[in-house]
Amino acid sequence: MIREDELASAAATGNVDHVGILLQAGVDVNAVNRFGRTPLQVMMMGSTRVAQLLLKHGANPNLSDESTGDTPLHDAARGGFLDTVKMLIEFNADIRAQDYRSRRPVDLARENGHLEVVTFLESL
Amino acid sequence: MAQEAATQYERVAEIGGGAYGTVYKARDRLSGQFVALKSVRVQTDQDGLPLSTVREVALLKRLEQFDHPNVVKLMDVCATLRTDQETKVTLVFEHVDQDLKTYLEKAPSPGLPASQIQDLMRQLLCGLAFLHSNCIVHRDLKPENILVTSRGQVKLADFGLARIYSCHMALTPVVVTLWYRAPEVLLQSSYATPVDIWSTGCIFAEMFRRKPLFRGESEVDQLGKIFEVIGLPAEEDWPADVTLSQRNFGPLSHRPITDFVPEISHQGADLLLEMLTFDPLRRISALNALDHLYFQEG
Protein backbone atom coordinates (compact mmCIF):
# COMPACT_ATOMS: atom_id res chain seq x y z
CA MET A 1 0.00 0.00 0.00
CA ILE A 2 1.35 3.42 -0.86
CA ARG A 3 1.62 5.88 1.99
CA GLU A 4 -1.28 8.05 0.84
CA ASP A 5 -3.52 4.99 0.86
CA GLU A 6 -2.21 4.05 4.26
CA LEU A 7 -3.02 7.47 5.72
CA ALA A 8 -6.53 7.43 4.25
CA SER A 9 -7.13 3.94 5.62
CA ALA A 10 -5.81 4.86 9.06
CA ALA A 11 -8.19 7.84 9.07
CA ALA A 12 -11.10 5.71 7.86
CA THR A 13 -10.58 3.21 10.66
CA GLY A 14 -10.17 5.88 13.32
CA ASN A 15 -6.63 4.82 14.10
CA VAL A 16 -5.37 8.04 15.71
CA ASP A 17 -1.90 6.73 16.54
CA HIS A 18 -1.22 5.52 13.03
CA VAL A 19 -2.52 8.77 11.52
CA GLY A 20 -0.14 10.65 13.83
CA ILE A 21 2.84 8.51 12.86
CA LEU A 22 2.21 8.89 9.14
CA LEU A 23 1.78 12.66 9.41
CA GLN A 24 5.00 12.87 11.43
CA ALA A 25 6.70 10.89 8.70
CA GLY A 26 5.73 13.58 6.25
CA VAL A 27 2.81 12.07 4.35
CA ASP A 28 0.89 14.90 2.68
CA VAL A 29 -2.38 15.42 4.56
CA ASN A 30 -4.13 16.57 1.38
CA ALA A 31 -2.86 13.88 -0.98
CA VAL A 32 -5.50 11.56 -2.39
CA ASN A 33 -5.58 7.79 -2.11
CA ARG A 34 -6.02 5.47 -5.07
CA PHE A 35 -9.74 6.21 -5.02
CA GLY A 36 -9.10 9.92 -5.39
CA ARG A 37 -10.09 10.88 -1.82
CA THR A 38 -8.21 12.71 0.91
CA PRO A 39 -7.96 11.32 4.45
CA LEU A 40 -10.43 13.92 5.79
CA GLN A 41 -13.00 12.90 3.17
CA VAL A 42 -12.90 9.24 4.19
CA MET A 43 -12.13 9.47 7.92
CA MET A 44 -14.23 7.73 10.55
CA MET A 45 -16.61 10.62 11.12
CA GLY A 46 -17.15 9.72 14.76
CA SER A 47 -13.45 10.08 15.49
CA THR A 48 -13.13 13.72 16.47
CA ARG A 49 -9.50 13.13 17.39
CA VAL A 50 -8.64 11.98 13.87
CA ALA A 51 -10.52 14.99 12.49
CA GLN A 52 -8.60 17.34 14.77
CA LEU A 53 -5.24 15.81 13.93
CA LEU A 54 -5.82 16.05 10.18
CA LEU A 55 -7.20 19.59 10.38
CA LYS A 56 -4.30 20.76 12.55
CA HIS A 57 -1.97 19.45 9.87
CA GLY A 58 -3.73 21.57 7.29
CA ALA A 59 -6.34 19.24 5.83
CA ASN A 60 -8.69 21.08 3.50
CA PRO A 61 -12.21 20.76 4.99
CA ASN A 62 -14.02 21.98 1.89
CA LEU A 63 -13.33 19.31 -0.72
CA SER A 64 -16.49 17.70 -2.00
CA ASP A 65 -17.00 14.15 -3.16
CA GLU A 66 -16.83 13.98 -6.92
CA SER A 67 -19.83 11.68 -7.27
CA THR A 68 -22.29 13.21 -4.78
CA GLY A 69 -20.93 16.62 -3.86
CA ASP A 70 -20.81 15.77 -0.15
CA THR A 71 -18.22 17.58 1.96
CA PRO A 72 -16.91 16.08 5.22
CA LEU A 73 -19.31 18.43 7.01
CA HIS A 74 -22.22 16.86 5.10
CA ASP A 75 -21.08 13.40 6.19
CA ALA A 76 -20.52 14.36 9.82
CA ALA A 77 -23.93 16.05 9.92
CA ARG A 78 -25.67 13.09 8.28
CA GLY A 79 -24.14 10.77 10.87
CA GLY A 80 -25.06 13.10 13.75
CA PHE A 81 -21.50 13.49 15.02
CA LEU A 82 -21.81 16.86 16.73
CA ASP A 83 -18.23 17.06 18.06
CA THR A 84 -16.82 16.42 14.59
CA VAL A 85 -19.23 18.97 13.09
CA LYS A 86 -17.95 21.55 15.59
CA MET A 87 -14.34 20.64 14.89
CA LEU A 88 -14.77 20.99 11.11
CA ILE A 89 -16.43 24.38 11.52
CA GLU A 90 -13.66 25.55 13.85
CA PHE A 91 -11.35 24.90 10.91
CA ASN A 92 -13.54 26.86 8.50
CA ALA A 93 -15.69 24.20 6.92
CA ASP A 94 -18.38 25.92 4.87
CA ILE A 95 -21.81 25.42 6.45
CA ARG A 96 -23.51 26.64 3.24
CA ALA A 97 -21.85 24.05 1.01
CA GLN A 98 -24.39 22.20 -1.16
CA ASP A 99 -24.26 18.68 -2.49
CA TYR A 100 -25.37 17.81 -6.03
CA ARG A 101 -28.99 17.78 -4.87
CA SER A 102 -28.66 21.24 -3.35
CA ARG A 103 -28.72 19.99 0.23
CA ARG A 104 -26.68 21.71 2.92
CA PRO A 105 -25.20 19.89 5.94
CA VAL A 106 -28.09 21.11 8.11
CA ASP A 107 -30.58 19.55 5.69
CA LEU A 108 -28.92 16.15 6.03
CA ALA A 109 -28.85 16.45 9.82
CA ARG A 110 -32.57 17.24 9.79
CA GLU A 111 -33.41 14.42 7.36
CA ASN A 112 -31.73 11.98 9.69
CA GLY A 113 -33.25 13.35 12.87
CA HIS A 114 -30.06 14.69 14.44
CA LEU A 115 -31.68 17.60 16.23
CA GLU A 116 -28.64 18.63 18.28
CA VAL A 117 -26.68 19.07 15.08
CA VAL A 118 -29.56 20.98 13.46
CA THR A 119 -29.81 23.31 16.45
CA PHE A 120 -26.09 23.88 16.47
CA LEU A 121 -25.82 24.60 12.74
CA GLU A 122 -28.81 26.92 12.84
CA SER A 123 -27.30 28.87 15.72
CA LEU A 124 -24.33 29.96 13.61
CA MET B 1 -28.54 -10.80 -6.97
CA ALA B 2 -27.97 -7.37 -8.41
CA GLN B 3 -25.19 -6.81 -10.90
CA GLU B 4 -24.77 -3.08 -10.55
CA ALA B 5 -22.49 -3.01 -7.52
CA ALA B 6 -19.70 -1.44 -9.46
CA THR B 7 -21.75 1.56 -10.46
CA GLN B 8 -24.05 2.12 -7.49
CA TYR B 9 -21.33 1.83 -4.86
CA GLU B 10 -18.15 3.76 -5.26
CA ARG B 11 -15.19 2.71 -3.14
CA VAL B 12 -13.49 5.50 -1.21
CA ALA B 13 -11.04 3.74 1.11
CA GLU B 14 -9.77 0.35 2.18
CA ILE B 15 -10.82 -0.32 5.79
CA GLY B 16 -9.90 -3.92 6.34
CA GLY B 17 -7.88 -6.62 4.79
CA GLY B 18 -6.53 -9.98 5.55
CA ALA B 19 -7.71 -13.52 5.63
CA TYR B 20 -11.26 -12.79 4.54
CA GLY B 21 -10.54 -10.57 1.59
CA THR B 22 -10.60 -6.82 1.49
CA VAL B 23 -13.21 -4.56 3.05
CA TYR B 24 -13.89 -1.13 1.61
CA LYS B 25 -15.67 1.94 2.78
CA ALA B 26 -17.80 3.00 -0.16
CA ARG B 27 -20.43 5.55 -0.96
CA ASP B 28 -23.90 4.69 -2.19
CA ARG B 29 -24.35 7.13 -5.05
CA LEU B 30 -28.13 7.03 -4.72
CA SER B 31 -28.47 7.86 -1.02
CA GLY B 32 -25.09 9.52 -0.49
CA GLN B 33 -24.58 7.30 2.55
CA PHE B 34 -21.47 5.33 3.32
CA VAL B 35 -21.62 1.53 3.16
CA ALA B 36 -19.12 -1.27 3.81
CA LEU B 37 -18.32 -3.56 0.88
CA LYS B 38 -17.04 -7.02 1.69
CA SER B 39 -16.02 -9.18 -1.19
CA VAL B 40 -15.02 -12.76 -1.40
CA ARG B 41 -13.92 -14.67 -4.48
CA VAL B 42 -15.43 -18.10 -4.75
CA GLN B 43 -14.65 -20.92 -7.14
CA THR B 44 -17.48 -21.71 -9.51
CA ASP B 45 -18.13 -24.53 -11.93
CA GLN B 46 -20.87 -25.23 -14.48
CA ASP B 47 -23.42 -25.42 -11.64
CA GLY B 48 -22.67 -21.85 -10.61
CA LEU B 49 -21.97 -20.79 -7.05
CA PRO B 50 -21.22 -23.53 -4.52
CA LEU B 51 -24.26 -24.53 -2.51
CA SER B 52 -22.58 -23.68 0.78
CA THR B 53 -22.06 -20.08 -0.32
CA VAL B 54 -25.64 -19.77 -1.49
CA ARG B 55 -26.79 -21.19 1.83
CA GLU B 56 -24.70 -18.78 3.90
CA VAL B 57 -25.85 -15.79 1.91
CA ALA B 58 -29.46 -16.96 2.23
CA LEU B 59 -29.00 -17.21 6.00
CA LEU B 60 -27.68 -13.66 6.17
CA LYS B 61 -30.58 -12.43 4.05
CA ARG B 62 -33.07 -14.24 6.25
CA LEU B 63 -31.62 -12.52 9.31
CA GLU B 64 -32.33 -9.25 7.58
CA GLN B 65 -36.07 -9.79 7.81
CA PHE B 66 -35.89 -9.49 11.60
CA ASP B 67 -34.44 -6.01 11.26
CA HIS B 68 -32.63 -6.42 14.57
CA PRO B 69 -31.56 -3.07 16.01
CA ASN B 70 -28.19 -4.37 17.22
CA VAL B 71 -26.72 -5.88 14.08
CA VAL B 72 -25.70 -4.00 10.94
CA LYS B 73 -28.06 -4.24 7.99
CA LEU B 74 -27.17 -6.31 4.97
CA MET B 75 -28.32 -3.94 2.26
CA ASP B 76 -27.42 -5.78 -0.90
CA VAL B 77 -25.65 -8.83 -2.28
CA CYS B 78 -24.00 -8.71 -5.68
CA ALA B 79 -22.37 -11.45 -7.70
CA THR B 80 -19.96 -10.60 -10.48
CA LEU B 81 -18.55 -13.24 -12.74
CA ARG B 82 -14.83 -12.72 -12.99
CA THR B 83 -13.75 -15.72 -14.98
CA ASP B 84 -15.28 -19.08 -15.84
CA GLN B 85 -13.99 -20.48 -12.60
CA GLU B 86 -14.37 -17.55 -10.29
CA THR B 87 -17.19 -15.34 -9.09
CA LYS B 88 -16.86 -12.34 -6.82
CA VAL B 89 -19.61 -12.14 -4.22
CA THR B 90 -19.94 -8.71 -2.67
CA LEU B 91 -21.95 -8.12 0.47
CA VAL B 92 -23.06 -4.55 1.02
CA PHE B 93 -23.49 -3.70 4.68
CA GLU B 94 -24.67 -0.61 6.49
CA HIS B 95 -21.65 1.41 7.62
CA VAL B 96 -21.62 3.23 10.94
CA ASP B 97 -18.85 5.79 11.15
CA GLN B 98 -17.86 5.09 14.76
CA ASP B 99 -16.65 1.96 16.51
CA LEU B 100 -16.54 1.10 20.20
CA LYS B 101 -12.78 1.67 20.27
CA THR B 102 -13.23 5.28 19.15
CA TYR B 103 -16.27 5.69 21.41
CA LEU B 104 -14.27 4.60 24.47
CA GLU B 105 -11.28 6.77 23.54
CA LYS B 106 -13.60 9.73 23.25
CA ALA B 107 -15.16 9.41 26.69
CA PRO B 108 -13.95 12.18 28.96
CA SER B 109 -12.01 11.16 32.07
CA PRO B 110 -12.70 9.12 34.21
CA GLY B 111 -14.48 7.16 31.50
CA LEU B 112 -18.03 6.12 30.70
CA PRO B 113 -20.65 6.40 33.45
CA ALA B 114 -21.79 3.04 34.88
CA SER B 115 -25.29 3.47 33.43
CA GLN B 116 -23.89 3.92 29.93
CA ILE B 117 -21.73 0.80 30.22
CA GLN B 118 -24.80 -1.13 31.33
CA ASP B 119 -26.76 0.17 28.33
CA LEU B 120 -23.97 -0.72 25.86
CA MET B 121 -23.65 -4.18 27.38
CA ARG B 122 -27.39 -4.82 27.18
CA GLN B 123 -27.42 -3.89 23.49
CA LEU B 124 -24.29 -5.91 22.75
CA LEU B 125 -25.78 -8.99 24.41
CA CYS B 126 -29.12 -8.50 22.61
CA GLY B 127 -27.33 -8.49 19.27
CA LEU B 128 -25.30 -11.51 20.25
CA ALA B 129 -28.32 -13.45 21.57
CA PHE B 130 -29.98 -12.78 18.21
CA LEU B 131 -27.00 -14.09 16.22
CA HIS B 132 -26.60 -17.10 18.49
CA SER B 133 -30.29 -18.01 18.25
CA ASN B 134 -29.73 -18.12 14.49
CA CYS B 135 -26.71 -20.36 14.91
CA ILE B 136 -24.24 -17.67 13.92
CA VAL B 137 -21.01 -17.52 15.87
CA HIS B 138 -19.27 -14.19 15.40
CA ARG B 139 -15.78 -15.56 16.24
CA ASP B 140 -13.96 -12.26 16.08
CA LEU B 141 -15.79 -9.86 18.36
CA LYS B 142 -13.63 -6.86 19.30
CA PRO B 143 -14.11 -3.12 19.87
CA GLU B 144 -13.29 -2.44 16.21
CA ASN B 145 -16.29 -4.34 14.90
CA ILE B 146 -18.79 -3.21 17.50
CA LEU B 147 -20.24 -0.07 15.98
CA VAL B 148 -21.89 2.72 17.97
CA THR B 149 -24.08 5.31 16.26
CA SER B 150 -24.11 8.94 17.32
CA ARG B 151 -27.29 8.10 19.26
CA GLY B 152 -25.45 5.41 21.23
CA GLN B 153 -27.04 2.49 19.39
CA VAL B 154 -24.82 -0.59 19.27
CA LYS B 155 -24.57 -2.58 16.04
CA LEU B 156 -22.49 -5.70 15.61
CA ALA B 157 -20.58 -5.97 12.35
CA ASP B 158 -18.43 -8.54 10.55
CA PHE B 159 -20.48 -11.56 11.62
CA GLY B 160 -21.44 -14.53 9.54
CA LEU B 161 -18.61 -14.14 7.12
CA ALA B 162 -16.12 -16.53 8.58
CA ARG B 163 -17.88 -19.60 7.24
CA ILE B 164 -18.43 -18.19 3.76
CA TYR B 165 -14.78 -17.39 3.53
CA SER B 166 -13.31 -20.43 5.15
CA CYS B 167 -15.21 -22.77 2.86
CA HIS B 168 -13.65 -21.44 -0.26
CA MET B 169 -10.27 -20.03 0.29
CA ALA B 170 -7.03 -20.88 1.89
CA LEU B 171 -6.67 -18.49 4.79
CA THR B 172 -3.71 -16.26 4.26
CA PRO B 173 -1.67 -15.77 7.40
CA VAL B 174 -2.45 -12.37 8.86
CA VAL B 175 -1.89 -10.75 12.18
CA VAL B 176 -5.13 -10.95 14.11
CA THR B 177 -5.49 -9.77 17.64
CA LEU B 178 -5.44 -12.43 20.34
CA TRP B 179 -6.72 -10.18 23.09
CA TYR B 180 -10.40 -11.15 22.88
CA ARG B 181 -9.88 -14.77 22.05
CA ALA B 182 -11.40 -17.48 24.27
CA PRO B 183 -9.10 -20.05 25.91
CA GLU B 184 -10.64 -22.91 23.90
CA VAL B 185 -9.80 -21.04 20.69
CA LEU B 186 -6.25 -20.39 21.89
CA LEU B 187 -5.99 -24.10 22.70
CA GLN B 188 -7.59 -24.98 19.35
CA SER B 189 -10.18 -27.16 20.99
CA SER B 190 -13.67 -25.80 20.13
CA TYR B 191 -15.38 -22.86 18.44
CA ALA B 192 -19.03 -22.58 19.43
CA THR B 193 -21.16 -19.65 20.64
CA PRO B 194 -19.38 -19.38 24.04
CA VAL B 195 -16.30 -17.97 22.27
CA ASP B 196 -18.28 -14.77 21.66
CA ILE B 197 -19.30 -14.52 25.32
CA TRP B 198 -15.64 -14.67 26.30
CA SER B 199 -14.85 -11.78 23.93
CA THR B 200 -17.83 -9.87 25.34
CA GLY B 201 -16.44 -10.34 28.86
CA CYS B 202 -13.08 -8.92 27.77
CA ILE B 203 -14.87 -5.96 26.20
CA PHE B 204 -17.05 -5.45 29.31
CA ALA B 205 -13.88 -5.11 31.41
CA GLU B 206 -12.36 -2.79 28.81
CA MET B 207 -15.33 -0.41 29.04
CA PHE B 208 -14.32 0.28 32.64
CA ARG B 209 -10.57 0.12 32.18
CA ARG B 210 -10.42 1.89 28.81
CA LYS B 211 -7.61 -0.44 27.92
CA PRO B 212 -7.69 -4.13 27.04
CA LEU B 213 -7.89 -6.66 29.89
CA PHE B 214 -5.54 -9.28 28.43
CA ARG B 215 -2.85 -8.03 26.08
CA GLY B 216 -0.99 -11.16 25.13
CA GLU B 217 1.75 -11.30 22.53
CA SER B 218 1.39 -14.95 21.61
CA GLU B 219 -1.12 -17.71 22.25
CA VAL B 220 0.81 -18.98 25.27
CA ASP B 221 1.37 -15.48 26.63
CA GLN B 222 -2.34 -14.72 26.15
CA LEU B 223 -3.31 -17.83 28.15
CA GLY B 224 -0.82 -16.89 30.85
CA LYS B 225 -2.37 -13.44 31.16
CA ILE B 226 -5.85 -14.96 31.36
CA PHE B 227 -4.85 -17.33 34.17
CA GLU B 228 -3.37 -14.45 36.15
CA VAL B 229 -6.92 -13.14 36.38
CA ILE B 230 -9.16 -16.21 36.48
CA GLY B 231 -6.71 -18.61 38.07
CA LEU B 232 -5.25 -21.79 36.60
CA PRO B 233 -8.01 -24.24 35.69
CA ALA B 234 -8.03 -27.61 37.40
CA GLU B 235 -6.44 -30.40 35.41
CA GLU B 236 -9.80 -32.16 34.94
CA ASP B 237 -11.22 -28.98 33.33
CA TRP B 238 -8.42 -28.85 30.78
CA PRO B 239 -9.67 -29.97 27.33
CA ALA B 240 -8.49 -33.31 26.08
CA ASP B 241 -6.65 -33.60 22.78
CA VAL B 242 -4.88 -30.28 22.89
CA THR B 243 -1.16 -29.93 22.42
CA LEU B 244 -0.57 -27.46 25.21
CA SER B 245 -0.62 -28.99 28.68
CA GLN B 246 -2.01 -27.40 31.81
CA ARG B 247 1.40 -27.99 33.39
CA ASN B 248 2.94 -25.39 31.06
CA PHE B 249 1.36 -22.79 33.31
CA GLY B 250 1.58 -21.97 36.94
CA PRO B 251 1.66 -22.32 39.74
CA LEU B 252 -0.11 -19.00 39.70
CA SER B 253 -1.53 -16.90 42.44
CA HIS B 254 -4.46 -15.08 40.95
CA ARG B 255 -5.84 -11.80 42.19
CA PRO B 256 -9.48 -10.74 42.60
CA ILE B 257 -11.12 -9.40 39.43
CA THR B 258 -11.71 -6.05 41.15
CA ASP B 259 -7.92 -5.54 41.18
CA PHE B 260 -8.12 -5.41 37.39
CA VAL B 261 -11.49 -3.69 37.07
CA PRO B 262 -11.73 -1.53 40.20
CA GLU B 263 -14.76 0.55 39.15
CA ILE B 264 -17.07 -2.40 38.52
CA SER B 265 -20.07 -3.02 40.80
CA HIS B 266 -20.55 -6.21 42.80
CA GLN B 267 -23.13 -7.59 40.35
CA GLY B 268 -21.05 -6.44 37.39
CA ALA B 269 -18.06 -8.36 38.70
CA ASP B 270 -20.22 -11.43 39.17
CA LEU B 271 -21.45 -11.26 35.56
CA LEU B 272 -17.92 -10.63 34.29
CA LEU B 273 -16.65 -13.77 36.00
CA GLU B 274 -19.55 -15.77 34.55
CA MET B 275 -18.43 -14.60 31.12
CA LEU B 276 -14.76 -15.28 31.78
CA THR B 277 -15.40 -18.88 32.81
CA PHE B 278 -12.72 -21.20 31.45
CA ASP B 279 -15.02 -24.09 30.59
CA PRO B 280 -17.12 -23.03 27.56
CA LEU B 281 -19.94 -25.35 28.65
CA ARG B 282 -20.25 -23.61 32.00
CA ARG B 283 -19.84 -20.10 30.61
CA ILE B 284 -23.03 -18.01 30.76
CA SER B 285 -25.06 -17.67 27.53
CA ALA B 286 -26.07 -14.34 25.99
CA LEU B 287 -29.72 -14.87 26.94
CA ASN B 288 -28.93 -15.78 30.55
CA ALA B 289 -26.51 -12.87 30.80
CA LEU B 290 -29.37 -10.52 29.90
CA ASP B 291 -31.30 -11.90 32.88
CA HIS B 292 -28.42 -11.30 35.26
CA LEU B 293 -29.05 -9.05 38.27
CA TYR B 294 -26.42 -6.64 36.92
CA PHE B 295 -29.02 -5.37 34.45
CA GLN B 296 -31.44 -4.57 37.27
CA GLU B 297 -29.02 -2.18 38.92
CA GLY B 298 -30.00 1.37 38.31
Side-chain angles (χ1 to χ4, degrees):
Chain A
M1 219 194 276
I2 57 163
R3 294 203 308 174
E4 288 73 20
D5 274 344
E6 217 177 304
L7 181 58
S9 293
T13 51
N15 192 335
V16 188
D17 295 341
H18 198 193
V19 169
I21 289 166
L22 290 165
L23 289 172
Q24 283 294 312
V27 181
D28 179 1
V29 75
N30 284 310
V32 297
N33 66 359
R34 68 194 143 107
F35 305 110
R37 267 74 176 188
T38 65
L40 196 75
Q41 287 183 291
V42 302
M43 70 179 172
M44 182 183 274
M45 288 295 157
S47 180
T48 311
R49 290 171 68 206
V50 166
Q52 183 179 37
L53 197 53
L54 294 170
L55 289 161
K56 275 192 172 161
H57 279 80
N60 180 354
N62 290 313
L63 295 174
S64 55
D65 192 281
E66 59 189 41
S67 61
T68 59
D70 287 298
T71 63
L73 189 57
H74 280 94
D75 291 320
R78 181 194 284 110
F81 297 108
L82 182 60
D83 292 346
T84 304
V85 165
K86 288 179 175 168
M87 185 67 63
L88 286 163
I89 289 171
E90 200 183 311
F91 285 86
N92 300 318
D94 182 6
I95 63 164
R96 290 155 312 176
Q98 296 191 353
D99 67 11
Y100 294 163
R101 294 187 206 168
S102 309
R103 297 175 301 188
R104 296 162 302 160
V106 68
D107 300 321
L108 296 182
R110 191 178 292 112
E111 260 177 43
N112 290 281
H114 300 302
L115 299 182
E116 279 185 3
V117 176
V118 174
T119 308
F120 174 74
L121 287 171
E122 283 180 339
S123 72
L124 298 173
Chain B
M1 295 190 193
Q3 303 282 339
E4 294 82 18
T7 52
Q8 185 181 348
Y9 305 105
E10 188 178 16
R11 294 181 295 174
V12 299
E14 189 177 319
I15 52 172
Y20 296 163
T22 315
V23 185
Y24 298 97
K25 179 174 182 173
R27 196 188 284 281
D28 180 346
R29 283 199 177 93
L30 298 178
S31 68
Q33 279 167 343
F34 288 123
V35 295
L37 296 185
K38 308 191 177 183
S39 301
V40 59
R41 285 200 284 267
V42 293
Q43 304 300 315
T44 43
D45 53 27
Q46 62 271 34
D47 300 326
L49 285 175
L51 204 55
S52 53
T53 304
V54 175
R55 221 180 266 134
E56 291 298 332
V57 169
L59 173 60
L60 287 177
K61 288 192 111 170
R62 198 161 65 240
L63 285 191
E64 213 31 56
Q65 296 165 4
F66 294 97
D67 197 24
H68 196 280
N70 303 120
V71 300
V72 294
K73 279 186 202 325
L74 173 63
M75 302 166 71
D76 212 347
V77 182
C78 314
T80 336
L81 204 62
R82 290 176 63 91
T83 65
D84 284 352
Q85 290 93 38
E86 201 178 76
T87 298
K88 191 171 80 167
V89 176
T90 302
L91 305 171
V92 185
F93 286 98
E94 164 189 21
H95 181 74
V96 174
D97 239 339
Q98 178 168 255
D99 61 17
L100 183 62
K101 180 167 172 272
T102 296
Y103 192 79
L104 291 179
E105 284 170 358
K106 235 175 161 171
S109 204
L112 295 178
S115 60
Q116 213 171 336
I117 293 180
Q118 188 193 43
D119 176 50
L120 291 167
M121 279 301 290
R122 185 184 285 121
Q123 296 187 62
L124 206 173
L125 284 164
C126 278
L128 209 51
F130 171 70
L131 293 181
H132 288 177
S133 67
N134 285 283
C135 302
I136 292 181
V137 185
H138 189 296
R139 293 186 199 213
D140 191 28
L141 212 52
K142 54 188 174 188
E144 289 87 341
N145 54 33
I146 298 170
L147 308 179
V148 187
T149 72
S150 58
R151 293 190 180 89
Q153 188 176 344
V154 171
K155 286 169 183 272
L156 305 183
D158 295 340
F159 54 86
L161 301 172
R163 281 189 298 179
I164 297 184
Y165 294 131
S166 58
C167 290
H168 305 293
M169 49 195 293
L171 298 185
T172 38
V174 284
V175 186
V176 283
T177 181
L178 301 168
W179 301 344
Y180 306 94
R181 206 166 277 189
E184 66 272 24
V185 180
L186 294 163
L187 290 166
Q188 303 183 329
S189 120
S190 62
Y191 303 84
T193 54
V195 305
D196 292 336
I197 297 296
W198 180 276
S199 309
T200 304
C202 297
I203 293 161
F204 187 22
E206 190 166 333
M207 288 183 193
F208 291 96
R209 292 163 46 90
R210 292 194 294 164
K211 53 179 194 248
L213 179 60
F214 308 121
R215 267 192 279 203
E217 282 161 15
S218 66
E219 273 87 350
V220 176
D221 185 40
Q222 182 70 21
L223 283 164
K225 294 211 156 57
I226 289 170
F227 300 148
E228 278 172 30
V229 176
I230 67 166
L232 187 64
E235 193 149 15
E236 60 265 28
D237 290 337
W238 201 263
D241 311 321
V242 297
T243 32
L244 214 56
S245 144
Q246 184 245 25
R247 268 161 281 157
N248 288 61
F249 303 92
L252 283 167
S253 56
H254 76 101
R255 291 149 55 196
I257 190 74
T258 43
D259 278 14
F260 300 91
V261 195
E263 295 85 3
I264 202 165
S265 66
H266 178 70
Q267 288 299 343
D270 187 77
L271 174 59
L272 179 57
L273 287 175
E274 294 267 13
M275 297 180 136
L276 298 180
T277 296
F278 178 78
D279 182 351
L281 297 174
R282 282 189 302 202
R283 201 173 298 150
I284 197 166
S285 70
L287 267 180
N288 286 339
L290 284 166
D291 278 337
H292 193 277
L293 284 175
Y294 167 69
F295 289 108
Q296 282 159 38
E297 286 179 351

